[in-house]
């Protein structure tokens, strides 16, 4: 039982069009003379890496670049990347990209400060102290990793995503420049955008902070729903609901891109303090086995999990319907709450998120194993507003198959 809550974020959050031009000043204030940039070849090709490099010249900083970032980064990639950063004698790490590159940067900053391998830090609060100064620059809207205390890697041997959670993983600076998201292809825009919506909805409907079922001696960065998380999640749901379709269909619409960038960062602030729940727990094994993107897996599952959770959060779901622009006038609360699910289903199909698990190539005989694996991710499951059993999880998966 908790009676207090706290709020954590990146040390500095710089937001706005062309904010990336100020990266030199941001790095200078961190006192980092040797900056190791973690990114990938798509962002180099899109010219985004060059913008960051020229901004860093103002620091002035000596810069090395790792361009080998991959979506849903495997644990082994983190080891390779950390070895290169160590060889360069990096004093600061800059994660440039979607959640994948930012998460890679976070674990590299951890390994350089504390040694060991990524597996040593898997789970809650396993990082013993501050990590190397870290700057995160998102190019998707997005995971919220630029403000969050999470890093997610893929354990390719056990076919599951693994999470490292610690407030030490929060970047010293987050530079959110909506212009960097303009080159996102529609699929990346859709997948990362519905991930952000999932963050906001899971945080907004999470277990209450006062009822957070934390066993004695267990530490976690998640705290359940609280007033500040609610405020951030509500605005995020509204912004994403009003702008995600447009950002997908008209990628050059700067107003839609900016609204999405803000919505995703607000959702990141909300979920990384309050918690995410059953959608994310189920996505871990599904993403690990089917190799769908994190966002596609979450978006696929979201309405099915909402249906399971609805009885525990009727009035909150009714409010989500309103925030998503549904006309709920004259409806009773349960009918209004149903509209939230319908609104998410419509959004999902409008932006091309796969509808069912079978569309990802999952087979029915895999569902019990997925449920079993998700049931082990207790730190997330305890955030859910309705207690869940492994059988409940399997039931949700069957409804989504
Ligand atoms: N740490 C956290 O708090 C957190 C939260 C949610 C998800 N995640 C993780 O983040 C990852 C997903 O991140 P994502 O959805 O941002 O996608 P991503 O980082 O995996 O990127 C997907 C693809 O889009 C490309 N791309 C990204 N930005 C682009 C741009 N502006 N122009 C052109 N191409 C671009 C990338 O190069 C990549 O090939 C998953 O591994 C997920 O588990 C982390
Ligand atoms: Fe997510």
């Amino acid at each position: 039982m908790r009676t207090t809550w706290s709020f954590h974020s990146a040390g500095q959050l710089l937001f706005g069009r062309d904010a990336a031009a100020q990266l030199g000043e941001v790095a200078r204030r961190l006192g980092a003379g040797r900056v190791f940039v973690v990114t990938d070849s798509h962002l180099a090709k899109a010219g985004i890496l060059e913008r960051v490099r020229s901004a860093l010249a103002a620091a002035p900083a000596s810069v090395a670049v790792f361009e080998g970032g991959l979506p849903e980064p495997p644990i082994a990639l983190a080891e390779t990347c950390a070895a290169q950063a160590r060889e360069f004698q990096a004093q600061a790490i800059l994660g440039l990209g979607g959640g994948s590159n930012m998460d890679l940067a976070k674990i590299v900053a951890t390994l350089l400060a504390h040694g060991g391998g990524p597996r040593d830090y898997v789970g809650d609060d396993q990082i013993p102290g501050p990590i190397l100064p870290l700057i995160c620059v998102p190019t998707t809207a997005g995971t919220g990793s630029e403000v969050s205390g999470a890093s997610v890697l893929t354990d390719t041997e056990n076919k599951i995503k693994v999470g490292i959670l610690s407030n030490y993983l929060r970047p010293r600076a987050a530079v959110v420049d909506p212009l960097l998201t303009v080159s996102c292809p529609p699929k990346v825009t859709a997948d990362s955008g519905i991930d952000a919506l999932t963050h906001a909805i899971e945080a907004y409907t999470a277990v209450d902070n006062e009822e957070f079922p934390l066993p004695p001696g267990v530490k976690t960065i998640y705290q359940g729903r609280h007033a500040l998380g609610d405020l951030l999640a509500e605005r995020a749901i509204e912004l994403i609901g009003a702008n995600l379709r447009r950002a997908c269909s008209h990628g050059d619409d700067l107003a839609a891109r900016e609204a999405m960038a803000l919505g995703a960062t607000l959702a990141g602030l909300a979920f990384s303090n309050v918690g995410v729940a059953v959608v994310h727990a189920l996505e871990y094994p599904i993403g690990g086995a089917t190799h769908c993107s994190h966002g596609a897996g979450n978006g696929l599952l979201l309405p099915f999990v909402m249906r399971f959770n609805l009885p525990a959060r009727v009035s909150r779901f009714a409010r989500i319907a309103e925030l998503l622009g549904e006309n709920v006038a004259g409806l009773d609360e349960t009918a209004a709450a149903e509209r939230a699910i319908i609104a998410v289903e419509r959004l999902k199909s409008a932006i091309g998120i796969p509808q069912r698990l079978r569309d990802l190539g999952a087979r029915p005989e895999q569902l019990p194993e997925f449920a079993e694996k998700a049931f082990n991710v207790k730190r997330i499951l305890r955030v859910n507003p309705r207690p869940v059993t492994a059988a409940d999880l399997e039931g949700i998966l069957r409804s989504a198959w």
Side-chain angles (χ1 to χ4, degrees), residues 30-400:
L30 291 184
R34 299 178 71 76
V35 180
F36 188 80
V37 178
V38 177
T39 190
D40 66 53
S41 58
H42 298 285
L43 297 166
K45 276 194 206 100
I48 291 174
L49 173 60
E50 202 36 56
R51 278 150 89 169
V52 167
R53 258 184 184 284
S54 57
L56 285 174
S62 162
V63 175
V65 179
F66 176 83
E67 269 186 43
L70 292 173
E72 327 286 323
I75 288 176
L77 183 67
E79 284 160 350
T80 310
C81 186
Q84 294 187 20
R86 201 173 283 123
E87 197 172 321
F88 173 65
Q89 299 185 322
Q91 294 170 335
I93 309 292
L94 189 153
L96 173 66
S100 296
N101 296 347
M102 292 192 284
D103 286 5
L104 195 57
K106 286 173 159 184
I107 187 66
V108 167
T110 305
L111 297 181
L112 262 67
H114 300 292
R119 286 178 201 277
D120 298 335
Y121 304 102
V122 168
D124 242 306
D125 212 13
Q126 301 298 309
I127 299 178
I131 62 174
L132 228 59
L134 173 70
I135 304 170
C136 278
V137 184
T139 63
T140 60
T143 63
S145 181
E146 67 278 7
V147 290
S148 87
S151 169
V152 185
L153 301 174
T154 303
D155 178 345
T156 40
E157 275 162 47
N158 298 308
K159 291 198 169 70
I160 191 163
K161 307 285 282 294
V162 292
I164 298 169
L165 292 183
S166 164
N167 281 321
Y168 290 122
L169 283 177
R170 305 220 190 230
R172 292 277 291 278
V175 177
V176 184
D177 182 345
L179 298 182
L180 302 187
T181 66
V182 172
S183 56
C184 262
K187 182 180 177 338
V188 176
T189 304
D191 292 3
S192 56
I194 206 153
D195 183 29
L197 181 65
T198 308
H199 294 159
I201 290 179
E202 294 217 282
Y204 192 59
T205 56
V207 66
D208 290 353
N209 173 263
E210 301 85 59
E211 285 154 20
F212 196 74
L214 196 61
V218 173
K219 289 193 284 180
T220 174
I221 70 169
Y222 293 153
Q223 309 169 60
R225 213 178 54 72
H226 57 60
L228 186 50
D230 279 355
L231 201 68
L232 294 159
E234 284 202 347
R235 184 71 184 126
I237 294 168
E238 204 169 38
L239 284 165
I240 297 165
N243 291 282
L244 179 52
R245 282 181 177 79
R246 179 87 188 156
C248 291
S249 63
H250 295 78
D252 56 356
D253 181 328
L254 294 186
R257 289 294 194 182
E258 183 167 344
M260 281 304 301
L262 182 59
T265 298
L266 298 184
L269 289 169
F271 95 77
S272 68
N273 285 280
V274 171
V276 283
V278 162
V279 179
H280 274 76
L282 287 173
E283 197 280 325
Y284 274 24
I286 289 166
T290 69
H291 306 292
C292 67
S293 77
H294 172 76
N298 278 342
L300 187 157
L301 292 162
L302 180 59
F304 299 100
V305 175
M306 287 172 79
R307 192 159 296 288
F308 175 81
N309 281 335
L310 188 141
R313 284 289 181 270
V314 178
S315 60
R316 289 212 154 229
F317 276 96
R319 178 78 183 121
I320 290 172
E322 273 185 302
L323 291 166
L324 289 175
E326 293 290 303
N327 181 2
V328 295
L331 296 183
D332 69 33
E333 208 172 48
T334 306
E338 287 279 341
R339 285 291 183 88
I341 302 175
I342 293 165
V344 169
E345 281 168 345
R346 274 209 305 264
L347 175 60
K348 192 177 138 176
S349 66
I351 63 172
I353 300 294
Q355 293 296 309
R356 300 204 150 255
L357 285 173
R358 64 174 90 104
D359 303 333
L360 300 178
R363 299 184 310 278
E365 63 271 21
Q366 289 179 294
L367 303 185
E369 186 195 331
F370 292 162
E372 202 58 50
K373 282 184 168 170
F375 192 61
N376 289 329
V377 196
K378 298 281 189 278
R379 64 175 183 280
I380 306 189
L381 293 181
R382 71 168 79 92
V383 177
N384 204 60
R386 232 184 119 176
V388 279
T389 62
D392 292 332
L393 294 175
E394 196 178 322
I396 295 169
L397 290 172
R398 291 207 182 282
S399 71

